[in-house]
Amino acid sequence: MAKYQLVFDKIRELYNEPRDNISLHSPVFIGNEKKYLAECIDSTYVSSVGKFVDLFEGKVAAYTGANKAVVCVNGTSALYLALKLAGVETSDEVITQPLTFIATANAISYCCAKAIFIDVEKTTLGLDPIALEAFLSTESIIRDGVCYNKTTGRRIKACVPMHTFGHPCRIDEISIVCEKYSIELIEDAAESIGSFYKGRHTGTFGKIGVLSFNGNKTITTGGGGMLLFNDENLAKKAKHLSTQAKVPHKWEFVHDEIGFNYRMPNINAALGVAQMESLPLFIRKKRELSEEYNKFFKKVNIDFFQEPKYSYSNYWLNVIILGSEIERDLFLTESNSQGIMTRPVWRLMNKLPMFIGCQSGELSNSNWLEKRIVNIPSSVRI
Ligand SMILES: *Cc1c(COP(=O)(O)O)cnc(C)c1O
């Protein structure tokens, strides 16, 4: 018998599905998706104009409490736009965590900026505000209100913490450190729609927050992303940049800067409006599942990751932390061979060939977690 057979039996029981393979996170369409898609197709406005884009932006802004939300073709482009709007330029440096999905680090590279990797906390899986402060207090110097890296002489322009697997990091503390060092705060909230920290939605603490609606996220538009703003003028700039920087006019084609074709098509936004209507139900279901997992893993003495203090988490992907790399590998082999999809965490960014030359702080928590985290099936159960 497999060492973790009890766990696999429990997952099968929770997912009581006829299919052989239990996925990590499948989308669920049980609301108005087909109705809105049909309406969108009938209208012929499936592309860059149509009412669903405005509706979707309005719904996300209202739900998150952001003053403005601006759609984007995907989360990665939204992150890139956010960094550009925050003023990140060639040869700047941007701080992020090594324990993140590749998109965070790639977006920094698209700006021709360099990443600096600072450790995460074991209690949040997100950027550690104390490690951030420790790095900046010894490695940076502020001249004329601009933060410079003492070693490289480059400007440290922004910081991008990520709310890992939907669990909020200590974003208020991070925000205080960023303010102290005049660093712009951009939140990678791609995984954390529906997650709140101290009652406030993730992605609304920084200058800009970014959501993703990729197929594996809590809600999906097929592919898609969203920028969250408190500053409405900045939101206007984002909309302008994401729509080829076209000067609004009934017939003239005039563009006043180098823009991007990053606007989400109306047909994707139609899906988004329906998914937003289901979001409160999805969050309730996901939290019910995590409570079931929590009770079970307590009984079998496996460390199940629970939402951090002051947080209300969407539990996007449930996490267990195994005793060692050997145990993790055994768990991954056994579960995947039984048709239960499980995954290790991403290889740390600082170990990937493209980022090997980047500066890092001390990364003991990231290194520890990298060997032990396993994601287990987390789809909404209907
Ligand atoms: C999903 C994700 C993104 C954005 O992904 P897209 O697939 O481009 O929408 C960015 N950062 C993190 C941490 C993510 O998990």
Side-chain angles (χ1 to χ4, degrees), residues 170-186:
R170 284 202 285 154
I171 191 65
D172 57 344
E173 312 270 334
I174 292 169
S175 162
I176 290 167
V177 178
C178 286
E179 203 152 305
K180 178 172 165 193
Y181 288 90
S182 298
I183 293 173
E184 303 285 9
L185 177 60
I186 306 293

Side-chain angles (χ1 to χ4, degrees), residues 9-24:
D9 291 346
K10 181 69 188 180
I11 293 174
R12 287 228 171 263
E13 178 199 316
L14 286 170
Y15 275 96
N16 193 21
E17 282 175 7
R19 55 179 145 172
D20 287 341
N21 287 301
I22 298 178
S23 68
L24 206 57

Side-chain angles (χ1 to χ4, degrees), residues 71-88:
V71 285
C72 207
V73 281
N74 56 55
T76 309
S77 338
L79 269 173
Y80 169 53
L81 265 193
L83 289 167
K84 265 193 102 63
L85 287 162
V88 175

Side-chain angles (χ1 to χ4, degrees), residues 115-379:
I116 299 173
F117 297 110
I118 300 294
D119 208 6
V120 299
E121 294 181 288
K122 280 188 189 172
T123 47
T124 66
L125 310 179
L127 190 72
D128 180 355
I130 296 177
L132 177 65
E133 164 84 56
F135 177 86
L136 288 168
S137 69
T138 56
E139 300 294 329
S140 82
I141 182 163
I142 298 185
R143 256 185 284 120
D144 301 325
V146 179
C147 184
Y148 292 95
N149 186 326
K150 272 190 202 166
T151 310
T152 62
R154 295 171 195 255
R155 179 170 73 158
I156 303 178
K157 183 62 185 172
C159 174
V160 191
M162 199 274 279
H163 302 288
T164 310
F165 302 130
H167 297 296
C169 62
R170 284 202 285 154
I171 191 65
D172 57 344
E173 312 270 334
I174 292 169
S175 162
I176 290 167
V177 178
C178 286
E179 203 152 305
K180 178 172 165 193
Y181 288 90
S182 298
I183 293 173
E184 303 285 9
L185 177 60
I186 306 293
E187 287 175 78
D188 185 344
E191 306 181 350
S192 65
I193 192 167
S195 300
F196 295 78
Y197 186 71
K198 295 187 175 170
R200 211 163 128 191
H201 197 279
T202 51
T204 63
F205 290 78
K207 191 181 193 92
I208 309 173
V210 167
L211 305 176
S212 164
F213 307 110
N214 190 39
N216 62 344
K217 296 294 194 323
T218 299
I219 61 167
T220 185
T221 56
M226 190 78 84
L227 293 137
L228 303 178
F229 297 91
N230 295 317
D231 177 346
E232 301 202 8
N233 283 326
L234 202 58
K236 272 200 194 111
K237 271 194 202 163
K239 184 56 105 181
H240 188 61
L241 268 187
S242 70
T243 51
Q244 301 280 32
K246 182 181 180 298
V247 181
H249 191 279
K250 266 213 154 80
W251 58 84
E252 275 183 0
F253 276 117
V254 178
H255 306 261
D256 60 2
E257 62 182 309
I258 295 173
F260 302 87
N261 181 14
Y262 282 175
R263 186 188 167 109
M264 177 189 284
N266 200 43
I267 195 157
N268 298 80
L271 208 50
V273 172
Q275 289 271 285
M276 276 308 288
E277 292 169 356
S278 294
L279 180 59
L281 171 72
F282 288 180
I283 301 293
R284 215 158 54 235
K285 292 276 180 196
K286 288 177 71 62
R287 290 181 59 88
E288 262 170 40
L289 172 67
S290 74
E291 198 36 56
E292 292 273 341
Y293 271 144
N294 188 32
K295 276 190 282 186
F296 169 76
F297 283 113
K298 235 183 219 140
K299 272 193 294 191
V300 296
N301 258 321
I302 289 176
D303 185 3
F304 174 75
F305 191 86
Q306 283 176 277
E307 64 193 351
K309 223 169 146 185
Y310 309 122
S311 297
Y312 182 89
S313 173
N314 67 4
Y315 283 90
W316 172 52
L317 289 187
N318 288 286
V319 171
I320 56 173
I321 298 176
L322 290 164
S324 66
E325 195 172 8
I326 294 168
E327 284 180 27
R328 178 201 68 175
D329 289 343
L330 181 64
F331 188 98
L332 289 169
T333 311
E334 287 184 349
S335 52
N336 284 292
S337 75
Q338 292 197 20
I340 294 172
M341 189 167 166
T342 62
R343 287 285 180 270
V345 75
W346 314 281
R347 176 76 48 86
L348 298 183
M349 295 301 111
N350 58 300
K351 296 181 182 171
L352 301 177
M354 322 70 99
F355 301 116
I356 261 170
C358 293
Q359 195 175 3
S360 295
E362 191 267 343
L363 302 177
S364 55
N365 290 338
S366 301
N367 282 311
W368 190 90
L369 289 165
E370 183 192 29
K371 296 190 182 85
R372 291 169 176 81
I373 286 177
V374 173
N375 289 130
I376 54 178
S378 302
S379 311

